[in-house]
């Protein structure tokens, strides 16, 4: 009768164990801050990568095409953010597949985890910032299991552009923005009153109409962090950042996105062939019946082997009408 899946985490001496209270916090409020999750050596490797990227790519004076209507066009032109370094750099891949990051992710949305995306943020003085948005608007998975992990590589506060979040807004649907192919992760026409929004991610709240939904909540809160702290957040959570207001500080951070590896992923940052991009996403934990990629630079991941599956179980009716499990195996 086949095998049933037995999701059991693999032991490691430095494994991070998520508490029940942390699990509840994440699913109730939409975010979880884990202080000091990455050690100084792990942070140093990512910080060095950020510095290499800053020296080789960052150009704060470069201007975007005036005809470009992307609200983040100036940030992309100046290269204050760099996408998918994990596909071309071993240190970036190690950062995205850091086992302690995946320990938390596995507990929150696992046990099966795809590693989808990496972004290095540099945010020099006077630059950076992104208006109110929901990450599932951009990265769609079905079922919708997307999670972000925001790694601070230095002190982050209101002055140099920390993240701001709206606790509890993770229970909102994703509001589809105009001009993005619908932006839908929900079934079309399944809601009576789910309205579209305009200029998502724009810094100006007068222009970004998602701010009107944000206004229904208590005031957003800033997420102050130190190097090695990690903010895990739900993909429906309303969040934003402001430009770096300092004159002498950067705001370097590394941000990764993950989803449950049983999800169908009609997305990939670099494009894909066929009807999904699953085959381009790294299986980072557990198991999946979907296609997947392996780490390009050989970073170790902890997957579930065939031997760890158990025998399938059927239910047999008893005379009193109750059901009892009955082990089944192929002859």
């Amino acid at each position: 009768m086949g095998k049933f899946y037995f999701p059991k985490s693999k032991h490691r001496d430095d494994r991070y164990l998520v508490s029940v209270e942390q699990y509840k916090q994440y699913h109730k409020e939409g975010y979880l801050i884990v202080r000091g999750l990455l050690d100084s050596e792990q942070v140093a490797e990512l910080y060095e990568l950020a510095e290499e990227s800053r020296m080789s790519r960052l150009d704060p004076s470069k201007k975007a095409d005036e005809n470009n209507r992307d609200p983040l066009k100036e940030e992309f032109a100046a290269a204050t953010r760099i996408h998918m370094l994990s596909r071309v750099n071993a240190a970036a891949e190690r950062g995205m597949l850091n086992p302690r990051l995946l320990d938390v992710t596995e507990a929150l949305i696992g046990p099966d985890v795809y590693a989808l995306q990496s972004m290095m943020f540099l945010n020099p003085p006077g630059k950076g910032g992104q208006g109110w948005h929901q990450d599932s608007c951009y990265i769609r998975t079905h079922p919708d299991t997307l999670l972000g992990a925001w790694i601070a590589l230095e002190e982050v506060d209101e002055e140099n552009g920390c993240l701001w979040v709206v606790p509890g807004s993770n229970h909102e649907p994703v509001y589809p923005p105009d001009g993005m192919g619908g932006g839908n992760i929900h079934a079309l026409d399944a809601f009576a009153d789910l309205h579209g929004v305009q200029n998502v991610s724009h810094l100006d709240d007068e222009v970004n109409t998602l701010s009107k939904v944000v206004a229904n909540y208590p005031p957003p809160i800033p997420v102050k962090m130190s190097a090695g702290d990690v903010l895990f957040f739900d993909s429906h959570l309303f969040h934003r950042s402001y430009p770096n207001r300092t004159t002498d500080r950067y705001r370097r951070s590394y941000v990764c996105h993950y989803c449950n590896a049983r999800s169908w992923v009609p997305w990939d940052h670099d494009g894909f062939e066929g009807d999904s991009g699953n085959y381009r996403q790294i299986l980072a934990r557990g198991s999946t019946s979907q296609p997947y990629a392996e780490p390009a630079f050989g970073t170790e991941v902890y997957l579930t082997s065939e031997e760890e599956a158990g025998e399938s179980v059927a239910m047999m009716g008893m005379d009193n009408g109750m059901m009892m499990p009955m082990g089944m195996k192929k002859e």
Side-chain angles (χ1 to χ4, degrees):
M1 298 295 291
K3 300 279 187 177
F4 70 86
Y5 185 37
F6 185 62
K8 187 178 189 304
S9 300
K10 292 181 181 292
H11 172 76
R12 291 192 335 275
D13 289 340
D14 67 338
R15 182 181 179 88
Y16 186 87
L17 298 175
V18 173
S19 71
V20 170
E21 285 304 313
Q22 287 175 314
Y23 180 90
K24 289 164 58 180
Q25 157 77 23
Y26 175 82
H27 287 283
K28 178 181 179 182
E29 302 290 349
Y31 71 95
L32 170 67
I33 304 169
V34 182
R35 304 290 183 186
L37 183 64
L38 272 60
D39 63 31
S40 58
E41 184 176 334
Q42 293 166 336
V43 171
E45 181 175 49
L46 290 172
Y47 186 92
E48 181 179 351
L49 176 60
E51 281 296 272
E52 291 173 359
S53 301
R54 182 178 72 86
M55 297 297 291
S56 63
R57 303 192 189 198
L58 183 66
D59 184 1
S61 64
K62 188 172 182 180
K63 298 297 182 182
D65 181 352
E66 292 182 358
N67 296 320
N68 187 340
R69 301 188 64 183
D70 188 336
L72 301 174
K73 64 182 181 181
E74 297 296 343
E75 301 309 317
F76 286 118
T80 65
R81 55 172 65 192
I82 304 167
H83 285 240
M84 301 308 291
L85 277 175
S86 53
R87 286 189 173 161
V88 298
N89 183 281
E93 181 183 270
R94 285 193 292 273
M96 183 171 66
L97 299 177
N98 183 291
R100 284 169 66 84
L101 281 180
L102 293 167
D103 290 342
V104 179
T105 303
E106 180 181 26
L108 297 179
I109 64 167
D112 312 304
V113 177
Y114 274 137
L116 301 178
Q117 186 195 45
S118 62
M119 296 184 288
M120 181 67 74
F121 288 85
L122 304 174
N123 291 22
K127 291 288 185 178
Q130 182 172 354
W132 293 114
H133 64 283
Q134 299 167 288
D135 283 357
S136 274
C137 165
Y138 298 102
I139 304 175
R140 302 168 205 172
T141 71
H142 302 281
D144 180 36
T145 57
L146 190 69
L147 169 150
W150 203 101
I151 307 165
L153 302 181
E154 58 192 323
E155 290 293 321
V156 179
D157 51 40
E158 292 108 316
E159 291 300 309
N160 69 342
C162 69
L163 226 59
W164 291 71
V165 301
V166 179
S169 62
N170 54 301
H171 299 293
E172 293 273 358
V174 172
Y175 288 80
D178 293 340
M180 284 190 60
N184 287 293
I185 62 159
H186 311 293
L188 288 173
D189 302 322
F191 289 83
D193 56 353
L194 179 60
H195 60 79
V197 288
Q198 291 78 46
N199 302 305
V200 168
S201 290
H202 200 291
L203 284 169
D204 186 347
D205 284 353
E206 294 299 318
V207 174
N208 182 344
T209 61
L210 190 60
S211 63
K212 295 179 181 179
V213 187
V214 173
N216 295 325
Y217 286 83
I221 61 173
V223 183
K224 301 177 183 180
M225 301 171 70
S226 298
D229 294 348
V230 182
L231 169 71
F232 295 88
F233 60 99
D234 184 274
S235 61
H236 289 219
L237 185 77
F238 298 151
H239 61 289
R240 71 164 302 158
S241 60
Y242 292 93
N244 184 342
R245 300 199 303 262
T246 71
T247 59
D248 58 353
R249 297 168 59 198
Y250 281 72
R251 195 218 69 183
R252 303 168 184 87
S253 60
Y254 192 55
V255 183
C256 300
H257 284 91
Y258 309 90
C259 75
N260 188 289
R262 302 284 166 155
S263 297
W264 180 64
V265 186
W267 173 93
D268 184 74
H269 184 271
D270 300 320
F272 58 89
E273 296 180 0
D275 60 358
S276 81
N278 286 64
Y279 70 95
R280 303 210 64 182
Q281 319 307 337
I282 297 174
L283 181 61
R285 283 286 165 93
S287 177
T288 183
S289 57
Q290 300 278 7
Y292 64 87
E294 296 180 352
F297 297 95
T299 303
E300 184 178 14
V301 290
Y302 299 88
L303 306 183
T304 301
S305 66
E306 180 70 19
E307 291 72 28
E308 291 172 305
E311 300 295 344
S312 64
V313 174
M315 300 299 288
M316 179 178 68
M318 296 188 293
D319 292 340
N320 62 3
M322 301 297 289
M323 304 294 287
M324 66 174 290
M326 177 179 65
M328 303 288 289
K329 67 174 68 176
K330 287 184 176 180
E331 295 296 334

